[in-house]
């Protein structure tokens, strides 16, 4: 029988010359990429927040490296991060053997990093631009709803608040009127003032102060009513006013997270749509890299486009040449905004796909299929009767945008053999037309049906949709762990940075190991060169050379 030989175990034996455990980390490991990228970031704004004095502090650059690598590795809990810093060789490397506890990590993330995360995210994206991964000339925009960290049963609805507030104001006015009548019957002097129908808490306080001053010894009944106004109705009125102030333009909010809005989610544990407190996250992608992200409190995508584009301009001091989005963004206001910004918009509108079907094309009773005489401004119904202009009106959207509409009406619909198929309203048929929106839709349709439009339409489903699938399904990020709009934005941008690192690593990993190793070394040299070249004012020329090297290595997306 052959002799069994086991390998020696020297781990528990002391060594004269200890081995550097960080040499065990491969040169092409993601932790080295994060280390190189963060070393090139400008964190001067964060350093200014440290006042000095007292005990020494952990360096913010090290803390940023730890957080970026944690979100890259799908480790979001501060306790798990602190544990990994003592047990995981990669976390030890990225932290330089520093071991901040979970409170320190949480305070840095929630207090110091919160105001600078947008700038850091933009700096990482700019680095991707210089490396050739993205150009920022194209934005594929889409949104998804992510559940907030709050109780889904503690909700406040605008309709209920307004209803109960109106009832309370009516009751208050009635009580004040009864008090004045009682005072007048007792021949006591008091200034009778007309109260507004919708009384607020400040006016009620002033009124109660006047009554208490005039009536030093009020009757028992009046004293009881005044006490009820002071201790019961006034606090309720103040609460309703606070609720309306918190709601702002929203229809609801959660008591445990007032910044969260109740939105219709696509899935729940019973696979049915359900109202839950959530945030509407909007992202711009290019080559499946997240180039921009914003958080909104409105459930619809239509009203989010303007602030999203404005935020993009603030981050990069430029606007994309092309924007691609689905029908959720197709509105008159959005088309107008994109035209003013001189952006080529490949944005669908409602019924874009249905209009291409034979059923809608061949329906002669639809407004869009009626003949329109632009010179004399009238439509012609299927029976050949002219429908003349009978006036104009305005339509206001939820965010206050006004649209101009024109009304056209037929004169003789009685006895028409096609009336049952044409319309079912009483009297003559009346149609409403938004000429400006129709013109913008026609322009959008021409772009969408062009060769470039077809290319963008084929890419749009695999751009932001794939990113959301990666974040929500693969990385299990289906619910925020922070409360409040600012911290939710911080959390999502950290997730976005982690995604961009994963995407960069995945792109490099498609090539052979030798090429991947060489590519990562080139990126490391590139990030180191950014810092040294900034002082020489030759960044642009030399970065172009390095970018060409990256392209030659086939790492550009």
């Amino acid at each position: 029988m052959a002799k069994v030989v086991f390998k020696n175990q020297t781990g528990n034996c002391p060594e004269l010359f200890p081995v550097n455990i960080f040499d065990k980390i491969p040169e092409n490991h993601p932790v080295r990429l994060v280390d190189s990228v963060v070393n090139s970031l400008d964190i001067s704004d964060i350093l200014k927040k440290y006042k000095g004095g007292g005990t020494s502090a952990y360096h913010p650059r090290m803390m940023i490296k730890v957080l970026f690598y944690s979100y890259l590795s799908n480790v979001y809990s501060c306790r798990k991060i602190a544990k990994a810093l003592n047990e995981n060789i990669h976390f030890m490397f990225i932290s330089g053997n520093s071991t901040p506890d979970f409170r320190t990590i949480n305070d840095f993330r929630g207090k110091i990093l919160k105001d600078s995360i947008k700038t850091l995210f933009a700096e990482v994206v700019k680095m991707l631009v210089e490396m050739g991964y993205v150009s920022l000339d194209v934005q594929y925009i889409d949104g998804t709803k992510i559940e907030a960290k709050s109780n889904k049963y503690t909700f406040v609805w605008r309709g209920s608040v307004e209803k109960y507030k109106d009832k309370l104001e009516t009751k208050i006015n009635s009580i004040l009127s009864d008090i004045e009548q009682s005072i007048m019957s007792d021949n006591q002097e008091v200034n009778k003032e007309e109260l507004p129908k919708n009384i607020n808490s400040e006016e009620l306080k002033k009124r109660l102060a006047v009554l208490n001053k005039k009536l030093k010894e009020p009757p028992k009944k009046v004293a009881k009513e005044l006490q009820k106004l002071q201790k019961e109705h006034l606090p309720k009125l103040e609460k309703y006013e606070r609720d309306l102030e918190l709601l702002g333009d929203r229809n609801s909010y959660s008591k445990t997270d007032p910044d969260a809005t109740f939105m219709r989610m696509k899935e729940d544990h019973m696979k049915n749509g359900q109202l839950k407190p959530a945030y509407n996250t909007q992202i711009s992608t290019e080559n499946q890299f997240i180039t921009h992200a914003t958080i909104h409190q409105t459930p619809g995508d239509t009203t989010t486009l303007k602030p999203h584009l404005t935020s993009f301009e603030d981050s990069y001091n430029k606007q994309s040449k092309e924007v691609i989005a689905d029908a959720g963004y197709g509105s008159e206001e959005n088309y107008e905004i994109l035209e003013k910004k001189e952006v080529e918009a490949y944005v669908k509108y409602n019924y874009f796909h249905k209009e291409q079907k034979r059923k809608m094309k061949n329906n002669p009773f639809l407004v869009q299929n009626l003949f329109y005489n632009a010179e004399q401004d009238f439509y012609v119904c299927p029976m050949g009767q002219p429908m003349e202009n009978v006036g104009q009106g305005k339509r206001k959207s939820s965010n206050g945008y006004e649209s101009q509409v024109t009304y056209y009406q037929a004169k003789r619909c009685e006895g028409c053999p096609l009336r049952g198929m044409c319309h079912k309203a009483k009297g003559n048929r009346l149609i409403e037309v938004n000429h400006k929106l129709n013109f913008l839709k026609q322009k959008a349709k021409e772009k969408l049906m062009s060769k470039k439009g077809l290319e963008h339409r084929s890419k749009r489903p695999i751009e932001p949709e794939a990113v959301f699938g990666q974040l929500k399904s693969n990385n299990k990020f289906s619910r925020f762990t922070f409360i409040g709009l600012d911290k939710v934005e911080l959390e999502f941008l950290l997730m976005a940075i982690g995604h961009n690192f994963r995407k960069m690593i995945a792109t490099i990993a498609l090539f052979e190991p030798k090429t991947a190793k060489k590519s990562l070394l080139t990126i490391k040299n590139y990030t180191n060169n950014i810092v040294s070249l900034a002082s020489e004012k030759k960044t642009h020329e030399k970065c172009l050379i390095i970018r060409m090297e990256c392209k030659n290595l086939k790492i550009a997306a």
Side-chain angles (χ1 to χ4, degrees):
M1 181 177 178
K3 183 180 179 181
V4 179
V5 180
F6 296 102
K7 295 183 183 295
N8 292 329
Q9 291 179 301
T10 59
N12 296 327
C13 301
E15 296 181 357
L16 180 62
F17 300 103
V19 177
N20 185 358
I21 61 170
F22 297 146
D23 290 340
K24 297 180 180 293
I25 301 175
E27 286 294 329
N28 61 345
H29 195 276
V31 73
R32 295 190 184 273
L33 175 62
V34 175
D35 184 65
S36 300
V37 170
V38 177
N39 280 336
S40 65
L41 296 178
D42 180 13
I43 61 168
S44 55
D45 291 340
I46 296 177
L47 290 171
K48 291 176 183 177
K49 296 179 181 179
Y50 288 82
K51 298 178 181 179
T55 187
S56 59
Y58 289 104
H59 200 283
R61 195 179 296 278
M62 181 274 295
M63 299 293 287
I64 293 170
K65 289 179 183 179
V66 169
L67 285 172
F68 281 10
Y69 184 69
S70 298
Y71 277 80
L72 165 64
S73 306
N74 296 335
V75 180
Y76 315 130
S77 167
C78 290
R79 293 180 185 271
K80 290 182 179 179
I81 295 172
K83 184 179 179 183
L85 289 171
N86 288 284
E87 299 176 355
N88 191 309
I89 184 175
H90 304 124
F91 278 86
M92 293 177 186
F93 171 81
I94 202 72
S95 67
N97 275 326
S98 298
T99 56
D101 62 10
F102 70 92
R103 292 185 184 87
T104 305
I105 298 169
N106 190 51
D107 287 343
F108 177 83
R109 180 174 61 177
K111 296 177 181 179
I112 298 175
L113 190 62
K114 180 179 66 173
D115 299 326
S116 304
I117 187 64
K118 287 184 181 179
T119 306
L120 293 177
F121 175 78
E123 288 297 319
V124 173
V125 174
K126 288 174 185 176
M127 200 173 293
L128 293 173
V129 173
E130 294 296 337
M131 290 178 182
Y133 284 95
V134 296
S135 64
L136 295 182
D137 291 333
V138 181
Q139 288 187 75
Y140 291 89
I141 299 177
D142 202 1
T144 189
K145 300 177 184 68
I146 298 179
E147 188 178 352
K149 183 190 176 182
S150 58
N151 191 330
K152 61 184 177 181
Y153 300 112
T154 57
F155 44 78
V156 176
W157 296 97
R158 175 183 291 277
S160 299
V161 172
E162 290 177 344
K163 182 179 74 173
Y164 292 128
K165 184 172 178 287
D166 289 341
K167 287 184 178 179
L168 182 61
E169 288 170 351
T170 303
K171 187 181 291 186
I172 290 170
N173 277 313
S174 176
I175 293 172
L176 288 173
S177 178
D178 290 344
I179 291 173
E180 288 174 353
Q181 290 293 333
S182 175
I183 292 170
M184 290 176 67
S185 64
D186 293 339
N187 296 321
Q188 297 188 35
E189 292 184 2
V190 66
N191 294 329
K192 185 176 180 181
E193 298 178 5
E194 286 292 330
L195 283 170
K197 185 178 179 181
N198 298 324
I199 187 170
N200 58 38
S201 58
E202 291 299 323
E203 290 172 350
L204 180 57
K205 285 178 183 178
K206 291 178 183 178
R207 191 69 180 171
L208 289 173
V210 170
L211 290 172
N212 288 326
K213 187 177 180 181
K214 293 288 184 182
L215 303 173
K216 295 181 180 179
E217 295 182 2
K220 188 175 180 181
K221 183 179 178 183
V222 173
K224 187 177 180 181
E225 289 178 336
L226 285 172
Q227 187 178 11
K228 191 173 184 179
L229 283 172
Q230 186 74 42
K231 295 188 175 180
E232 184 178 339
H233 296 324
L234 180 59
K236 277 187 179 179
L237 187 59
E238 289 176 335
K239 178 185 177 299
Y240 293 147
E241 289 174 352
R242 286 196 302 270
D243 288 341
L244 291 174
E245 186 179 353
L246 277 172
L247 284 165
D249 298 329
R250 298 179 290 162
N251 288 325
S252 62
Y253 77 84
S254 171
K255 291 181 181 179
T256 49
D257 184 1
D259 288 341
T261 306
F262 277 80
M263 304 179 186
R264 179 72 63 181
M265 308 293 283
K266 290 184 179 178
E267 75 286 330
D268 65 353
H269 59 284
M270 294 296 290
K271 303 300 179 183
N272 298 316
Q274 186 178 7
L275 283 173
K276 293 181 182 179
Y279 292 92
N280 188 353
T281 57
Q282 297 287 317
I283 63 169
S284 300
T285 66
E286 184 181 354
N287 296 328
Q288 293 187 5
F289 286 93
I290 301 176
T291 55
H292 194 57
T294 53
I295 308 294
H296 304 267
Q297 296 171 285
T298 53
D301 291 336
T302 309
T303 57
T304 63
L305 184 63
K306 184 178 179 180
H308 186 79
L309 294 176
T310 303
S311 178
F312 184 93
E313 289 178 356
D314 294 339
S315 297
Y316 305 112
N317 296 320
K318 62 171 287 187
Q319 188 54 260
S320 299
K321 297 177 183 177
E322 299 174 333
V323 166
I324 301 94
D326 61 14
Y329 302 86
S331 68
E332 181 183 347
E333 181 184 12
N334 288 343
Y335 287 133
E336 197 174 47
I337 289 168
L338 291 166
E339 274 198 347
K340 287 180 180 178
K341 293 181 180 293
E342 297 180 352
V343 175
E344 287 291 323
Y346 298 89
V347 181
K348 297 177 186 176
Y349 52 85
N350 289 335
Y351 300 109
F352 169 75
H353 289 292
K354 284 189 176 181
E355 284 181 358
Q356 318 305 322
K357 295 184 179 179
R358 192 179 302 171
K359 184 177 180 180
M360 286 195 73
K361 279 185 176 181
N362 297 337
N363 189 343
F365 303 102
L366 296 178
V367 175
Q368 60 266 32
N369 293 335
L370 299 178
F371 174 77
Y372 176 63
N373 188 320
E375 293 181 0
Q376 300 182 23
D377 191 21
F378 68 86
Y379 279 84
V380 179
C381 78
M383 281 296 292
Q385 181 185 170
M387 304 177 70
E388 297 179 353
N389 186 335
V390 294
Q392 293 183 335
K394 291 182 179 179
R395 290 286 180 270
K396 185 177 285 189
S397 65
S398 58
N399 59 333
Y401 181 80
E402 283 191 355
S403 300
Q404 192 80 24
V405 296
T406 307
Y407 302 107
Y408 298 87
Q409 190 170 31
K411 290 184 177 179
R412 299 182 304 275
C413 288
E414 302 88 4
C416 177
L418 301 178
R419 176 166 181 166
M421 293 181 287
C422 186
H423 73 108
K424 297 181 180 179
K426 294 181 179 179
N428 298 323
R429 183 180 182 183
L430 179 71
I431 61 173
E432 179 183 301
V433 180
N434 187 334
H435 289 292
K436 185 178 180 181
L437 179 58
N438 288 344
F439 173 73
L440 294 170
K441 281 183 176 181
Q442 185 59 34
K443 288 181 68 176
K445 184 178 180 180
E446 291 173 2
K447 289 180 182 178
L448 290 165
M449 298 299 288
S450 65
K451 183 178 179 181
K452 199 168 187 179
L454 292 171
E455 181 184 348
H456 281 314
R457 283 167 55 193
S458 64
K459 286 182 68 177
R460 194 205 65 79
I462 60 173
E463 275 284 343
E465 299 289 353
V467 173
F468 283 135
Q470 179 73 21
L471 292 175
K472 298 177 75 173
S473 181
N474 295 352
N475 299 331
K476 308 300 180 184
F477 184 69
S478 58
R479 192 171 189 260
F480 286 110
T481 59
F482 286 107
I483 291 175
L485 185 61
D486 292 341
K487 290 189 175 181
V488 161
E489 185 177 51
L490 163 70
E491 185 176 9
F492 190 77
L493 287 175
L494 283 171
M495 288 293 302
I497 290 171
H499 169 83
N500 285 344
F501 277 120
R502 275 192 298 272
K503 179 63 180 174
M504 192 189 309
I505 294 160
T507 305
I508 295 171
L510 292 173
F511 308 106
E512 296 178 1
K514 292 182 180 179
T515 308
K517 182 177 180 180
K518 191 176 179 183
S519 301
L520 276 173
L521 289 174
T522 305
I523 292 172
K524 185 176 180 180
N525 294 334
Y526 167 79
T527 53
N528 292 336
N529 284 340
I530 288 177
V531 181
S532 60
L533 292 175
S535 58
E536 300 175 13
K537 297 184 179 179
K538 296 181 180 179
T539 308
H540 182 69
E541 181 181 352
K542 293 191 177 182
C543 282
L544 284 177
I545 297 171
I546 297 165
R547 179 176 171 181
M548 291 303 297
E549 292 178 3
C550 291
K551 284 188 174 180
N552 291 335
L553 291 168
K554 298 181 181 179
I555 65 169

